[in-house]
Every structure is written in C-alpha cells, then in structure tokens.
Amino acid sequence: MTIRWVTAFLDLPASTLDSGTRFWSEVTATRPSPVRGDHDEFRTLVPGDGDACFRIQSVDDGPGGVHLDLHVDDVDELATAAVELGAEIVARPGHIILRSPGGLPFCAVLYHGEHRPPAPVHLGDGTTSRLDQVSIDVPAERFEEECAFWAALTGWALRSSRLSEFAALVRPDGIAWRVLLQRLGDDDPGA
C-alpha cells in the first residue's frame, strides 16, 4: 500500500468559514472552489499551478483543527492497516474517517492522479512562500505511540529532532506536505 497523495484539511467552525477561506486563499494565492457537500461544508483551495492539496471544511462542534486525507488506490486496505496499527474507524461516508491511537482524526480517500505539489507563491516584495508542512499536535503521553503509528501507516521514515518534542516524517518526492509531529506539554489544554 502506497500513500499516493496527501491533502491537508483545515477544519474551521462554521462561524469563521467565510473569513477563514478568504484569508487562506489570499495568503496561498489560491482560488476557492464552489462549496460542496451535503451541507455546503467543503471548499478546495485551487492553486494556479500544481494539484490541489489544501481544503477547508466547516465543522459544527469545537474549535476546529487540521486533519489529513491520505489518498490511496484502495481505501479499505489503508483502513485495515490503520486498524491493525491501533486506529479506529469512525464512519464510512464514501471515504473512511478514522482516529489514530491517540485520537487524532484522518481520512482514507481514493487517489485520483494528483502528483504535482503547488509551486511557491511569489509575493509582492520579491520573496516566495510555500505552505508545505502540517503539524500534528500529540498529547505528551501518546507521542511515541503516535510517531510509530504514522511512520508505520505511511511507510515514511521517522526523523527525530534535536528537540525532543518534535519528530518529522520524511516525505517522498511528489507529496505536497511535510508532516511534523509535536509533543504537547503536560499542561497544554489540548493534551
């Protein structure tokens, strides 16, 4: 099983969906797609060059966050592997929604040929920018388990950091997102 593409989903409370979409569209030089979904909850930020890898979803409960969609040729195969590694299946609304052993949401979705990460954005001051890393915040007591889970599920090497609260998955060529795992502090309200 190969992870063929990764999409980062920014999960925003419904009350901030429009302003959040405008902000992220502007700073990434992307064009928001028309809304879609049963409740108009999804938007894709379409780059001028490359394949879409950043989407926004409206959520009804909680402050929101970020989750990853892992694009594969066989979603059932990915879900089975994830469950064997300690994840749980949450729902199957056409794709498969799962939670990692540490309770972090992600989805198994069908691959549709994406392969070109978006080009860097040229800013007006002569610099360039690229949104290319997602940080997964992990409760301190689950950090080692989550690092092992994500490395095993993706098949990507895990690189430790000189700072013990960080580890990174080494992304393969052709994948738009780097994945950083960050250990939350014991006093962090998210832990």
Side-chain angles (χ1 to χ4, degrees):
M1 171 194 60
T2 300
I3 306 298
R4 308 277 303 260
W5 189 250
V6 176
T7 296
F9 258 93
L10 179 60
D11 302 319
L12 293 177
S15 62
T16 64
L17 182 64
D18 290 335
S19 62
T21 299
R22 280 191 304 276
F23 172 81
W24 285 105
S25 178
E26 186 171 321
V27 300
T28 59
T30 54
R31 175 183 46 81
S33 71
V35 295
R36 63 188 185 288
D38 294 339
H39 307 286
D40 292 338
E41 69 271 31
F42 301 114
R43 294 178 178 162
T44 298
L45 296 181
V46 181
D49 180 40
D51 292 318
C53 62
F54 188 32
R55 293 183 169 91
I56 296 177
Q57 175 177 331
S58 172
V59 294
D60 293 329
D61 297 325
V66 173
H67 77 268
L68 298 177
D69 276 11
L70 304 178
H71 299 240
V72 293
D73 294 321
D74 185 333
V75 294
D76 289 315
E77 180 184 17
L78 177 68
T80 298
V83 169
E84 288 173 359
L85 292 167
E88 67 174 310
I89 295 174
V90 175
R92 291 177 178 258
H95 57 287
I96 303 177
I97 303 170
L98 301 107
R99 288 202 184 280
S100 71
L104 307 170
F106 68 99
C107 297
V109 301
L110 195 58
Y111 175 66
H112 293 287
E114 303 92 336
H115 65 280
R116 292 183 328 134
V121 175
H122 297 279
L123 304 176
D125 62 359
T127 61
T128 59
S129 175
R130 174 183 286 171
L131 190 61
D132 78 338
Q133 179 172 279
V134 172
S135 178
I136 298 175
D137 294 337
V138 181
E141 69 277 2
R142 305 302 292 265
F143 186 70
E144 300 302 326
E145 179 183 21
E146 283 293 302
C147 287
F149 169 80
W150 287 100
L153 183 64
T154 61
W156 302 355
L158 183 68
R159 181 183 306 143
S160 59
S161 169
R162 60 183 174 79
L163 301 173
S164 63
E165 66 268 22
F166 297 107
L169 295 173
V170 178
R171 78 174 155 192
D173 290 339
I175 298 290
W177 293 101
R178 293 182 300 145
V179 178
L180 177 73
L181 295 131
Q182 176 177 304
R183 180 193 326 255
L184 296 174
D186 292 330
D187 59 346
D188 192 297

